[in-house]
């Protein structure tokens, strides 16, 4: 989509909704494929961590908790290393990842790790 800045700036959110809709329809492989493509396209940009978090969400939706945990941890690492992202925004995104990661730990019956993420 090319257009006004408002549309271009909103693209990641539209793509996130598309990927999550595919996952909720049970089209996990398609959703993971789109997420992987978005990660590749955004490599080295602040969006890489954002789309990695999205991949973790798809894995969680599919019940792949161990994979989702690894992906969420990778998202935290990518967000830590992201350049060009204001610190306040980076921290908000990391908080969101930690919150979602805590939920996956609960799904995986690891309450202590879930609590640790929420405390962080």
């Amino acid at each position: 989509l090319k257009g006004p800045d408002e549309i271009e700036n909103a693209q990641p959110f539209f793509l996130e909704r598309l990927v999550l809709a595919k996952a909720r329809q049970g089209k996990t492989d398609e959703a993971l494929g789109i997420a992987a493509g978005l990660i590749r396209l955004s490599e080295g940009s602040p969006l890489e961590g954002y789309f990695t978090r999205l991949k973790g969400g798809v894995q969680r939706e599919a019940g792949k908790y161990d994979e989702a945990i690894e992906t969420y941890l990778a998202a935290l690492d990518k967000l830590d290393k992201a350049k060009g992202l204001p610190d306040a925004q980076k921290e908000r995104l990391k908080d969101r990842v930690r919150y979602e990661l805590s939920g996956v730990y609960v799904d995986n019956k690891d309450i202590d790790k879930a609590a640790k993420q929420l405390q962080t």
Side-chain angles (χ1 to χ4, degrees), residues 5-94:
D5 288 344
E6 296 83 12
I7 290 176
E8 290 189 32
N9 292 339
Q11 282 182 4
F13 308 108
F14 298 145
L15 294 168
E16 177 182 27
R17 292 283 143 221
L18 170 69
V19 170
L20 291 175
K22 295 279 185 191
R24 288 182 182 128
Q25 291 173 339
K27 299 177 182 178
T28 304
D29 290 338
E30 189 176 348
L32 287 172
I34 296 170
L38 292 170
I39 293 166
R40 276 192 307 277
L41 287 172
S42 63
E43 192 172 327
S45 82
L47 286 174
E48 184 179 12
Y50 181 85
F51 289 131
T52 302
R53 179 199 57 79
L54 175 61
K55 178 182 174 186
V58 173
Q59 292 166 326
R60 180 184 184 188
E61 184 77 25
K64 299 176 180 183
Y65 303 132
D66 291 330
E67 291 175 34
I69 289 167
E70 286 182 35
T71 302
Y72 279 119
L73 292 172
L76 285 170
D77 186 51
K78 290 177 184 190
L79 287 168
D80 265 338
K81 295 176 182 175
K83 294 180 177 143
L85 193 61
D87 287 342
Q89 187 176 5
K90 184 184 290 191
E91 289 306 313
R92 278 195 309 275
L93 285 170
K94 287 171 49 181

